[in-house]
């Protein structure tokens, strides 16, 4: 088997459509599992879960599980339930995150916690976590269970780590990368790696897909954190400037703060503490990010991790699945442009 090197940078606007086309029939089966397992005799549970699950999400993480299985020519169907488990984990974390963050929007719609209340959102998130573990247990693989349960624990750790860093302008780049590596990249990595487990491939293949997913997840979150300042609610599916108002110290802020003068550093300190969060303050913050190339440098860092993700696919032979996985990386980066 020979390695093929792909360089990041598409001649056309990349999208997830090639991946969706590749796995569409299987994704229908995954969606059927999701619909079946979100049901409950308690009407509020499917109503609240459906508000988010049917809310137009990209389903990127379960699609990655399916596409990685296709990359490995896996002929079975175990990955359908596991892809649904991945989506349930992701949805549960979104429900919990919106409660913690006090979010107003999610996927372009009113956040579930505003409609149904915080207690219901938390409890339905717990329900979906439980459903995900049921699906893992039904698969019967202790290795799969270990990978996905560990990812769930790491995600929770990342969220707690982010909570402790909130409004702390002294947060380092290293801690920031630890946070996004846990809260975002861990599930991307697990979603990809379990495909190699069910396909009974070597540990080297497992680690390659883990590296692909992990680096893609980091790139994805870096872009999210950059466009929070330069995009809009319709594009992002959440309110622009949410991170700024919530006092989340993301890489653009870390870079602008470190490069600013004393007055600008004082602004960032007060802004992250919640004392400078008006529309004018957000505009001023965005101006500082541009002045010190903090957005551009964050996106350049995203491209670096995106290239690492693509490089991780090097050992696998050329195929439609590999092309789709490469384009998924290019899509993650292109969202900022």
């Amino acid at each position: 088997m020979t390695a093929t090197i792909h360089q990041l940078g598409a001649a056309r606007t990349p999208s997830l459509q090639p991946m969706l086309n590749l796995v569409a029939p299987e994704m229908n089966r995954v969606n059927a599992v999701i619909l079946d397992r979100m049901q409950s005799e308690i009407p509020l549970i499917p109503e609240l879960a459906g508000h988010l699950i049917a809310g137009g999400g990209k389903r990127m993480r379960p699609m990655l599980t399916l596409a990685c299985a296709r990359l490995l020519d896996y002929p079975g169907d175990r990955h359908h339930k596991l892809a649904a488990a991945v989506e349930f984990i992701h949805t549960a974390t979104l429900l919990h995150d919106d409660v913690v963050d006090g979010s107003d929007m999610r996927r372009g719609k009113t956040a579930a916690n505003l409609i149904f209340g915080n207690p219901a959102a938390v409890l339905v998130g717990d329900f979906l976590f439980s459903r995900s573990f049921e699906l893992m247990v039904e698969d019967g693989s202790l290795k799969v269970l270990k990978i996905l349960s560990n990812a769930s624990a790491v995600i929770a750790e990342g969220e707690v780590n982010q909570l402790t860093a909130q409004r702390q302008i002294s947060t380092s780049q290293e801690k920031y990368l630890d946070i996004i590596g846990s809260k975002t990249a861990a599930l991307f990595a697990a979603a990809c790696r379990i495909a190699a487990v069910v396909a009974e491939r070597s540990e080297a293949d497992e680690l390659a897909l883990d590296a692909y997913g992990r680096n893609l997840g980091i790139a994805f979150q870096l872009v999210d954190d950059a466009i929070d300042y330069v995009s809009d609610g319709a594009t992002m599916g959440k309110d622009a400037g949410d991170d700024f108002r919530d006092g989340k110290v993301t890489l653009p802020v870390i870079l602008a703060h470190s490069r600013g003068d004393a007055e600008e550093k004082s602004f960032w300190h007060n802004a992250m503490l919640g004392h400078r969060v008006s529309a004018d303050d957000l505009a001023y913050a965005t101006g500082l990010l541009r002045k010190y190339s903090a957005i551009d440098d964050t996106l350049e860092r995203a491209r670096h991790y995106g290239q690492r993700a693509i490089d991780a696919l090097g050992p696998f032979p050329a195929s439609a699945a590999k092309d789709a996985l490469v384009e998924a990386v290019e899509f993650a980066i292109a969202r900022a442009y």
Side-chain angles (χ1 to χ4, degrees):
M1 185 180 294
T2 58
T4 304
I5 302 301
H6 295 261
Q7 291 298 318
L8 187 61
R12 60 184 176 81
T13 302
S15 77
L16 289 179
Q17 197 59 45
M19 183 183 293
L20 182 58
N21 293 342
L22 181 79
V23 303
E26 293 177 298
M27 198 65 213
N28 288 335
R29 298 187 184 97
V30 173
N31 287 331
V33 174
I34 290 171
L35 181 61
D36 177 60
R37 297 306 179 95
M38 63 183 259
Q39 299 307 313
S40 167
E41 294 180 358
I42 310 301
L44 179 60
I45 292 176
E47 183 182 0
L48 193 155
H51 175 80
L52 185 55
I53 290 174
K58 294 179 285 295
R59 296 277 208 276
M60 189 171 183
R61 292 152 189 82
M63 279 202 294
L64 287 171
T65 300
L66 301 179
C68 287
R70 182 67 66 89
L71 177 74
L72 303 175
D73 294 320
Y74 171 61
D77 60 5
R78 289 170 57 193
H79 57 316
H80 298 155
K81 284 186 176 181
L82 294 176
V86 167
E87 183 65 8
F88 278 152
I89 292 170
H90 177 54
T91 305
T93 61
L94 295 184
L95 286 170
H96 290 166
D97 287 354
D98 285 347
V99 171
V100 171
D101 296 340
S103 300
D104 294 332
M105 288 179 64
R106 171 66 69 180
R107 294 174 174 170
K109 299 170 63 176
T110 302
N113 53 295
L114 287 188
I115 298 174
F116 302 97
N118 286 341
V122 170
L123 293 171
V124 172
D126 292 344
F127 172 84
L128 295 178
F129 262 128
S130 300
R131 283 291 196 236
S132 73
F133 278 90
E134 284 183 351
L135 290 165
M136 295 177 219
V137 170
E138 287 174 21
D139 178 70
S141 167
L142 284 176
K143 191 169 191 178
V144 164
L145 181 59
K146 181 177 181 179
I147 291 169
L148 289 176
S149 61
N150 179 70
S152 299
V154 169
I155 292 166
E157 288 177 333
E159 294 292 352
V160 173
N161 200 15
Q162 179 173 263
L163 191 62
T164 63
Q166 194 166 350
R167 306 200 181 283
Q168 301 295 319
I169 193 62
S170 60
T171 301
S172 66
Q173 291 190 42
E174 291 74 21
K175 180 164 186 174
Y176 165 79
L177 288 171
D178 282 345
I179 290 169
I180 68 172
S182 297
K183 79 183 190 75
T184 303
L187 190 56
F188 275 82
C192 296
R193 183 170 187 166
I194 57 175
V197 177
V198 299
E200 298 181 350
R201 298 294 286 262
S202 67
E203 185 175 3
D205 285 350
E206 280 186 45
L207 294 176
L209 292 182
D210 184 289
Y212 166 80
R214 194 171 303 279
N215 285 291
L216 170 57
I218 293 173
F220 195 93
Q221 188 61 55
L222 283 164
V223 171
D224 261 12
D225 291 346
I227 65 178
D228 185 76
Y229 286 90
V230 296
S231 189
D232 55 69
T235 300
M236 295 185 296
K238 63 175 185 174
D239 292 329
D242 270 356
D243 289 350
F244 177 73
R245 287 182 288 270
D246 291 342
K248 291 184 179 177
V249 184
T250 56
L251 185 61
V253 172
I254 293 170
L255 294 176
H257 175 262
S258 68
R259 296 167 182 175
D261 60 27
E263 183 179 343
E264 291 161 345
K265 280 181 166 64
S266 177
F267 166 80
W268 285 116
H269 175 76
N270 288 321
M272 291 300 101
L273 288 177
H275 304 320
R276 299 287 300 271
V277 294
S278 69
D280 287 343
D281 290 327
L282 175 59
Y284 180 65
T286 303
L288 291 180
L289 296 175
R290 295 192 184 282
K291 175 182 178 180
Y292 292 108
S293 301
I295 297 293
D296 289 343
D297 288 350
T298 297
L299 296 177
E300 182 59 36
R301 190 80 65 91
R303 285 191 288 272
H304 165 75
Y305 282 101
Q307 187 61 58
R308 287 176 61 172
I310 291 173
D311 290 347
L313 297 175
F316 301 104
S319 66
K322 184 172 181 177
D323 290 343
L325 288 166
V326 169
E327 187 159 348
V329 178
E330 294 173 334
F331 164 79
I333 306 300
R335 293 175 306 133
Y337 298 96

